[in-house]
Amino acid sequence: MDRPEGPLSGLLVADFSRVLAGPYATMLLADLGADVVKVEGPQGDETRTWMPPVRGDVSTYYLGVNRGKRSLALDLRDEADAALGRELATRADVVIENFKPGGLAKYGLDYDTVKAANPATVYASISGFGSGEGKHVPGYDLMVQAISGLMSLTGDPDGPPYRAGISVFDVMAGNHAVIGILAALRHRDATGEGQHVEVNLLSSALTGLVNHSSAYAAGGVVPFRMGNAHPSVFPYEPLPTADADLIVAAANDGQFRRLCEVLDLPDVPSDPRFARNADRTKNREELRPLLVERLKTRGAVDWFEALTKVGVPCGPINTIDGGFAMAERFGLDPVVEVGEGDRAVPTTRHPIRFSATPAAYRLPPPELDEHGAELRAWLTEDRDA
């Protein structure tokens, strides 16, 4: 087999995951050089059918998290296919799955069975609510947004709770899975021992709620949604300008002084009501109209240019095309192309940059069982020799 280059070159990942958290994790590993074999059921990953939107006749959802992989379709209910799955797991450095906890045991693909055949494997499991009392509860991001408390923090204070615009905890759990896998590989390099890495969406959610989690755990405070306002900092929210809202995030005293200088409000920083962040937060209803009166004299983009020049964090509220345009402006080259010819697909660049071992984009998101023949031949040739 042709091995990719990159910091994870030579690493074989058996990917028994589907939908988002697991495939996102394995895509990141593939970008960094891991050889990822995506094992799919006969009907394929569910996200292949999650459309619209589409590119051609392929779901853009599927395209967004499956580049860099080879696809092998296996019906694990068939013993011959299950045996191929076990052989792949035996050869793999990393196995990742997001079945319900214990769901792979009947196929001989659970951690204990894989470990017996391959003690050095790093076996990563992603679930909704862990492998204990919550193991039978299906794990969907929207459920976790509700159960964790995130939705209670999202939306207008007088309106209903809202979900985030993306499956935020699936993505967070995928990132946590990558961190866990790399840490376990480091341990394996030192000791030769693999281990079981478990990630669940609810735990990812609770750590991801950061200051709100700390407010409850350390302070006994149950926070509630405040629209776009911040409970501990002001100004740190959208404020209206002459043509559109502008996010203003003057989170410390120096930034606030510079904000007032640009807004031609020289006396405001010395006003005892607004001198420190705690004062500004307490008296936000008195301070907000002073800022808005000045901001409404110019447009959001004009203010963005003026304020960023003096180091005041701010930004217009864009649609996604505007977000990509801003990344282009900053030289971040957010879109890369993976594949060639008719298979070429524009995709979002890997988020991490390396000075010596950059991410690479070798393979477009695979068609179902696209690499099945070569992988079956490889999995059987040495075993039968």
Side-chain angles (χ1 to χ4, degrees), residues 89-93 111-123 184 187-188 191-196:
T90 298
R91 300 185 184 200
D93 298 283
Y111 171 63
D112 288 337
T113 304
V114 170
K115 177 185 177 183
N118 181 6
T121 191
V122 171
Y123 188 108
H187 173 77
R188 189 186 75 168
T191 67
E193 298 175 350
Q195 61 180 299
H196 194 186

Side-chain angles (χ1 to χ4, degrees), residues 315-324 326:
I317 301 175
N318 292 323
T319 50
I320 284 182
D321 56 332
F324 274 85
M326 192 70 81

Side-chain angles (χ1 to χ4, degrees), residues 169-226:
F169 295 136
D170 271 330
V171 174
M172 193 176 293
N175 278 311
H176 289 160
V178 171
I179 294 168
I181 287 167
L182 296 179
L185 288 170
R186 175 67 180 87
H187 173 77
R188 189 186 75 168
D189 289 344
T191 67
E193 298 175 350
Q195 61 180 299
H196 194 186
V197 175
E198 293 188 74
V199 175
N200 70 82
L201 270 64
L202 183 55
S203 292
S204 287
L206 295 180
T207 189
L209 291 175
V210 285
N211 55 303
H212 296 298
S213 291
S214 181
Y216 172 69
V221 174
V222 177
F224 198 65
R225 57 187 172 278
M226 299 176 61

